[in-house]
Amino acid sequence: MPTDSIDSTLEDLEARHRREKRDLVTKISALKRTVPKGDKRKKKEVSSEIAALEAELKDRHNAEIKDFGASTADSSVSLLADAVASADLVGEGKPKNETADDQEHQPDVSRGLYASNFGSQAKLPGAKKNKAKLRQQRKAEEMKRMQEEAERDAENMVDVAAIESEAIANLVAKDGLAVHEIRADGHCLYSAIADQISTYHGQPADFQTMRKRAADYMRQHRDDFMPFMVTDVGDMFDEPAFDNYCDRIESTADWGGHQEITALSHALETPIYIYQTGMPVLRIGDDDYASKDPIKLSYHRHAYGLGEHYNSLHKVDKQE
């Protein structure tokens, strides 16, 4: 999920990323402890959830680093312009707008007007300010140089999103499917499932309906979900935390994941298949509802800057 943290420096961003990685390790450890010994089905579900959590964190970190570089470069260019415009270096001669009258009233430093009683010349007023401007200017120039290097590197980078999109298209084509684009607005999982229900199961549906179905099922079967859910610091969910989580499913644009997919599979009594690159098709609810025509979605890690997106998969012979 997107973070609300504001990182003023790259060091702040990296520090938060390290904390989030440690938190994820704690969360994964807690999830593994919830698997009963010998329960292969639960182990498979937890393994899938762990893989999704790791992929989500990695993709979000990469996106945040990329976004941070772009934002700092924009501010640095402005900073450089201000620094150059206001620079007033000591010893560089008469200022541009200085008049003869101004020169006449300038202190004669050579005669010791600002000299100490011991004959040594004191620092001119504004010297510290000028040094700060110089440091600011050098920093801005360095940031501009780094941004230019990043832009040159970006020109030579592989378009990961395009490669992933092509790979998914080829993957689903083997099963007679094609990607049907869903709007990326935080509701994509629920909108994609609603599209499948409306298109292939004869029931009108929208994302609000799917959110409510998921939240209601989780509330009614909390014992099936709470043992697998932990807070950001790795603590097991208590009742208030779980209730708040379900409320947010129903009333916000929070992204959906493995828990919500599982809940909707049971609520709709329909298997849900997730196609993604580098992994076999994830089949949720297949054991319980094998006789039902499955809902089929594609999961994209790199389609958008946010790093996670679900699309609906249509049969190729479907008239769009």
Side-chain angles (χ1 to χ4, degrees), residues 53-292:
L53 289 170
E54 290 176 333
E56 176 188 342
L57 185 67
K58 180 180 179 182
D59 295 337
R60 179 165 60 79
H61 282 182
N62 289 338
E64 288 178 351
I65 291 173
K66 180 179 178 181
D67 292 343
F68 184 88
S71 64
T72 53
D74 291 341
S75 62
S76 296
V77 172
S78 176
L79 187 64
L80 174 60
D82 292 343
V84 171
S86 62
D88 182 16
L89 306 183
V90 176
E92 287 191 349
K94 182 177 64 176
K96 291 182 180 179
N97 297 325
E98 183 178 302
T99 65
D101 186 63
D102 292 330
Q103 295 182 44
E104 195 175 324
H105 291 86
Q106 289 295 321
D108 189 347
V109 177
S110 64
R111 295 184 180 178
L113 182 62
Y114 289 95
S116 70
N117 293 332
F118 299 98
S120 60
Q121 183 175 315
K123 293 183 178 179
L124 290 173
K128 288 186 178 180
K129 184 177 180 181
N130 287 330
K131 287 183 178 179
K133 288 180 180 178
L134 284 172
R135 287 195 297 269
Q136 190 178 56
Q137 180 180 343
R138 285 196 295 268
K139 184 176 180 180
E141 291 171 344
E142 176 65 13
M143 289 299 298
K144 187 173 185 295
R145 182 188 63 77
M146 292 172 62
Q147 175 63 10
E148 289 173 348
E149 288 182 359
E151 290 174 354
R152 287 195 295 271
D153 292 341
E155 291 176 356
N156 299 321
M157 284 179 63
V158 176
D159 189 341
V160 178
I163 292 175
E164 180 187 47
S165 180
E166 182 179 0
I168 289 178
N170 293 334
L171 176 66
V172 303
K174 296 176 183 178
D175 287 347
L177 303 168
V179 174
H180 176 73
E181 293 288 341
I182 297 295
R183 181 180 178 183
D185 57 3
H187 303 295
C188 60
L189 170 64
Y190 305 98
S191 295
I193 293 176
D195 175 76
Q196 288 277 300
I197 294 296
S198 301
T199 305
Y200 298 113
H201 295 264
Q203 303 174 30
D206 54 29
F207 74 83
Q208 293 99 330
T209 304
M210 294 299 101
R211 280 187 172 277
K212 180 169 175 53
R213 293 288 295 271
D216 286 346
Y217 185 89
M218 291 178 69
R219 292 186 186 109
Q220 295 163 10
H221 301 82
R222 61 184 60 220
D223 290 341
D224 293 336
F225 293 93
M226 281 184 60
F228 296 93
M229 302 175 71
V230 295
T231 66
D232 292 338
V233 296
D235 296 330
M236 302 297 293
F237 262 31
D238 55 17
E239 295 284 342
F242 183 79
D243 288 336
N244 179 64
Y245 186 91
C246 293
D247 290 343
R248 291 188 64 83
I249 291 175
E250 189 171 355
S251 61
T252 74
D254 284 355
W255 296 349
H258 185 83
Q259 301 286 4
E260 291 80 4
I261 295 171
T262 300
L264 282 169
S265 175
H266 290 302
L268 300 169
E269 297 184 347
T270 305
I272 299 178
Y273 291 2
I274 310 294
Y275 290 73
Q276 56 189 306
T277 58
M279 294 183 67
V281 177
L282 179 61
R283 303 169 187 267
I284 298 174
D286 212 24
D287 295 335
D288 298 312
Y289 315 109
S291 63
K292 298 288 189 69

